[in-house]
Amino acid sequence: MAERLSVKNLRVSYPAPAGGWNEVLRGVSFDLGRERLAIVGESGSGKSTTGRAIMRLLPDQARVSSDRMSFGDVDLMKASERRMRSIRGGRIAMVLQDARYSLNPLHRVRRQIAEACRLHARMSRAEAHDRALDLLEQVRIRNPRRVMDLYPHELSGGMGQRVMIAMMLAAEPELVIADEPTSALDVTVRGQILDILNERVEAQGAALIFISHDLPLVADFCDRVLVMYAGRVVEEIAARDLEHARHPYTRALLGSLPPTDRRVDKLVVPERDPAWLDGPLP
Amino acid sequence: MTGARSGDIALELRNLDVTFGDGDSSVRAVADVSLQVRRGTSFGLIGESGSGKSTVLRAIAGLNGNYGGTILLDGAEIPMPRPKSFFSRVQMVFQDPYGSLHPRKMVRAVLMEPLQIHGIGDRDRRIAEALQAVGLTPDFAYRYPHQLSGGQRQRVAIARCLVLEPELLLLDEPTSALDVSVQAGVLNLLDALRRERGLTYVMVSHDLRVVAHMCDRIAVMTEGRMVEELDADAIYEDRCEDPYTRALLHSSKGYQRKDTPDAAE
């Protein structure tokens, strides 16, 4: 499997209020081919920061270093801001948690998708309009002409997420970073959105980084899982082997979920071992 | 609290109806919901956003005053607006522990307020006991909400209910804003409190795992209606009648990947 993205020893720090630096990513390394890679962990573990660092979307005060962060032939550490602008939303696209906050509230869906089309390919307004309709159909919106004329606040959660996926597809990206794309959705809608995401990513031959806090979900949806704890990747495992995870943190996370098939008397509350912060990894 | 206890049923809803707005734009958020909650048990309401589950809870608490039908506590209809005595018996825990605590009030003041409102004495002892009951040390009384984690905040919100020694707790998605590892601790706490104190719970959640774990009886709601009521065991064993319940169970239990033929590399 050819590598698309290669990250070696990625570190991110923010200035601490008391002076000095808080390191929030402490040496993250992974390679990504044409696959569905999950990054899971709890709030504050650094999973979203990893996604944003790849897109170079971290705030200015963040201090970023790495031995390597390359995407195909592009050195993401050294690329100019101008180059990054063509990569973002082009070769690398992002889907965020709540589309209604990520879309421009003042513009109709029509204009936002058409703009995405025209930014990444030369086409006329009429062509962009047709392409937008086509994209909305691809994400299985039943009445795309009606949805084109809606404002973001008029979309339901699931519909908004479809529009986001349609926009992302406009540029036919090689890599899609989806940051909790279904966490704000109802479970029955979640399945539909994942189907669409999966189908489109496969049809375009793109790689996927799926950032989530939901272990059972990524076990079903992804190929490989990175488990993050306190800014480090503590375990990397094939998704189908997740229930045989070796790191005590991964096991504790899985154990703390109420099961769906039997009643347990008490849930297991993970005891955080200080050794997880810096200790050796299995 | 005096008065005869009318048997085994702590809370009963008869044909509860809640409508928002009027005329053409009105929405019937809860339609003809009837249920009974046995004393000392935990009753779960599950459904998706907009199903009306939280509205049911808010109607019980008196936060949505304009309801039709009858709500009975211990067999007696509760007047509207809710009298003060109602809130010494019924308390509510809200979903967002970041929004439900006053940011400029110390935990001690948060716990003191209900005691003052209800004119209850021996306040320091009660506050200390409530903190201990939710697994926080006494020094937490002198912290502000921003000095607490999400799980600790939710414990304070639970302690705020407990200082009044209520019989019934209304739990509106009490752990959905928390990480799973933190959720486990809060759910264990709620479960232990119910058993030790014989509390009755009505719990609203969109999370099937949580409801099945916490509740004895579970009602499934969609579009304002209650489509099915079942035992937690029925969820574990996949026994349900209603097609919507079945779909909800199915999608809650995980994602089934539809591999397209061109998926192979």
Side-chain angles (χ1 to χ4, degrees):
Chain A
M1 202 188 298
E3 282 170 21
R4 294 246 167 120
L5 179 73
S6 177
V7 177
K8 288 276 169 299
N9 196 23
L10 173 64
R11 289 172 182 273
V12 174
S13 325
Y14 287 103
W21 294 83
N22 272 338
E23 204 170 32
V24 295
L25 286 189
R26 304 181 301 143
V28 170
S29 304
F30 63 94
D31 291 313
L32 177 74
R34 187 187 152 181
E35 60 183 322
R36 286 166 290 235
L37 175 74
I39 303 181
V40 295
E42 296 184 282
S43 5
S45 60
K47 52 193 194 301
S48 290
T49 304
T50 304
R52 285 170 183 273
I54 295 165
M55 291 284 265
R56 285 247 307 263
L57 281 173
L58 294 173
D60 288 341
Q61 74 264 32
R63 194 170 69 182
V64 183
S65 75
S66 77
D67 297 348
R68 183 164 84 218
M69 191 157 74
S70 59
F71 173 64
D73 53 344
V74 186
D75 183 341
L76 292 172
M77 293 298 286
K78 294 210 179 91
S80 67
E81 190 47 37
R82 194 191 151 117
R83 179 108 197 250
M84 283 310 296
R85 271 205 300 276
S86 75
I87 290 171
R88 277 186 216 120
R91 294 176 64 191
I92 307 180
M94 204 161 189
V95 181
L96 297 168
Q97 180 167 345
D98 195 329
R100 282 165 294 180
Y101 294 117
S102 316
L103 297 169
N104 187 330
L106 299 177
H107 294 164
R108 295 179 198 275
V109 166
R110 165 200 305 279
R111 175 161 167 187
Q112 309 203 38
I113 302 184
E115 182 184 73
C117 296
R118 283 170 58 103
L119 263 177
H120 298 287
R122 278 169 201 282
M123 56 174 77
S124 69
R125 276 178 198 283
E127 282 167 341
H129 174 85
D130 291 346
R131 173 93 173 115
L133 266 181
D134 180 43
L135 288 168
L136 287 179
E137 267 166 22
Q138 286 183 22
V139 294
R140 293 188 226 149
I141 287 178
R142 258 181 247 117
N143 190 348
R145 282 178 200 283
R146 190 181 71 83
V147 172
M148 288 272 271
D149 285 323
L150 297 179
Y151 286 100
H153 74 271
E154 298 174 299
L155 303 169
S156 66
M159 195 67 87
Q161 221 47 319
R162 286 167 209 244
V163 170
M164 282 277 280
I165 295 173
M167 274 179 74
M168 162 210 102
L169 293 171
E172 308 203 339
E174 296 157 52
L175 168 63
V176 175
I177 300 175
D179 192 348
E180 304 266 12
T182 57
S183 309
L185 304 177
D186 282 320
V187 280
T188 50
V189 181
R190 183 181 77 185
Q192 299 162 12
I193 296 298
L194 291 175
D195 281 343
I196 291 167
L197 189 61
N198 187 38
E199 181 189 302
R200 297 325 307 165
V201 161
E202 293 206 331
Q204 297 192 349
L208 176 68
I209 295 179
F210 190 89
I211 297 170
S212 176
H213 66 280
D214 189 335
L215 271 100
L217 176 67
V218 305
D220 291 336
F221 184 68
C222 295
D223 303 311
R224 199 153 59 96
V225 182
L226 302 180
V227 183
M228 289 193 66
Y229 179 76
R232 284 206 307 170
V233 175
V234 292
E235 183 154 18
E236 184 183 333
I237 190 167
R240 61 177 174 279
D241 297 331
L242 199 58
E243 50 191 299
H244 309 297
R246 277 180 303 174
H247 195 280
Y249 175 66
T250 318
R251 299 178 65 95
L253 270 188
L254 287 166
S256 66
L257 279 170
T260 55
D261 55 351
R262 76 203 127 84
R263 185 179 288 276
V264 289
D265 208 34
K266 226 177 157 193
L267 300 172
V268 184
V269 182
E271 298 280 339
R272 284 155 207 281
D273 185 341
W276 297 350
L277 289 175
D278 299 293
L281 304 172
Chain B
M1 249 164 303
T2 52
R5 289 289 169 84
S6 64
D8 209 21
I9 306 299
L11 180 80
E12 182 172 359
L13 309 183
R14 286 187 196 150
N15 313 103
L16 183 71
D17 239 275
V18 181
T19 305
F20 294 116
D22 26 40
D24 289 344
S25 60
S26 71
V27 178
R28 200 171 172 203
V30 177
D32 200 22
V33 166
S34 299
L35 56 88
Q36 294 187 327
V37 183
R38 287 195 11 249
R39 192 180 318 287
T41 65
S42 184
F43 192 98
L45 282 171
I46 189 166
E48 299 187 283
S49 28
S51 62
K53 56 191 193 302
S54 289
T55 309
V56 169
L57 216 57
R58 294 174 62 86
I60 298 170
L63 295 170
N64 289 333
N66 261 329
Y67 59 82
T70 317
I71 302 178
L72 303 138
L73 187 65
D74 278 340
E77 185 167 357
I78 331 167
M80 195 64 221
R82 301 281 183 251
K84 207 157 84 175
S85 60
F86 170 80
F87 293 103
S88 63
R89 300 173 63 191
V90 179
Q91 280 286 311
M92 187 151 171
V93 178
F94 295 90
Q95 173 171 8
D96 178 8
Y98 293 85
S100 68
L101 297 180
H102 194 301
R104 306 221 10 210
K105 275 191 180 166
M106 252 185 212
V107 169
R108 195 181 128 79
V110 168
L111 301 182
M112 189 68 88
E113 198 174 15
L115 295 172
Q116 284 166 341
I117 291 171
H118 290 270
I120 296 169
D122 207 2
R123 292 175 188 164
D124 287 318
R125 183 185 58 81
R126 282 171 182 265
I127 289 173
E129 276 178 8
L131 282 175
Q132 193 188 11
V134 297
L136 297 176
T137 49
D139 56 295
F140 274 89
Y142 299 97
R143 293 207 198 174
Y144 286 101
H146 73 266
Q147 295 169 310
L148 306 174
S149 67
Q152 288 166 346
R153 282 170 197 242
Q154 207 55 306
R155 285 171 195 265
V156 170
I158 295 166
R160 177 172 57 186
C161 297
L162 294 180
V163 286
L164 294 173
E165 298 179 359
E167 304 150 40
L168 178 76
L169 288 190
L170 305 172
L171 307 167
D172 190 1
E173 306 259 17
T175 58
S176 65
L178 308 176
D179 275 319
V180 288
S181 59
V182 180
Q183 163 175 285
V186 174
L187 292 182
N188 283 345
L189 169 69
L190 285 169
D191 211 29
L193 287 171
R194 184 173 63 82
R195 286 181 205 192
E196 286 160 16
R197 302 177 176 223
L199 296 171
T200 307
Y201 289 168
V202 181
M203 182 178 200
V204 159
S205 177
H206 68 281
D207 189 332
L208 183 89
R209 289 174 182 273
V210 169
V211 167
H213 175 70
M214 292 293 291
C215 301
D216 310 280
R217 294 286 288 171
I218 292 153
V220 183
M221 289 190 65
T222 180
E223 292 168 12
R225 289 172 304 114
M226 208 174 105
V227 292
E228 192 167 5
E229 192 185 315
L230 60 174
D231 279 329
D233 290 337
I235 287 181
Y236 292 133
E237 291 156 22
D238 255 331
R239 284 185 282 111
C240 56
E241 305 287 324
D242 183 82
Y244 177 76
T245 309
R246 192 166 289 285
L248 189 70
L249 284 191
H250 193 69
S251 37
S252 295
K253 289 193 175 180
Y255 172 75
Q256 277 84 33
R257 191 153 87 192
K258 288 182 193 156
D259 272 315
T260 38
D262 59 352
E265 283 187 59

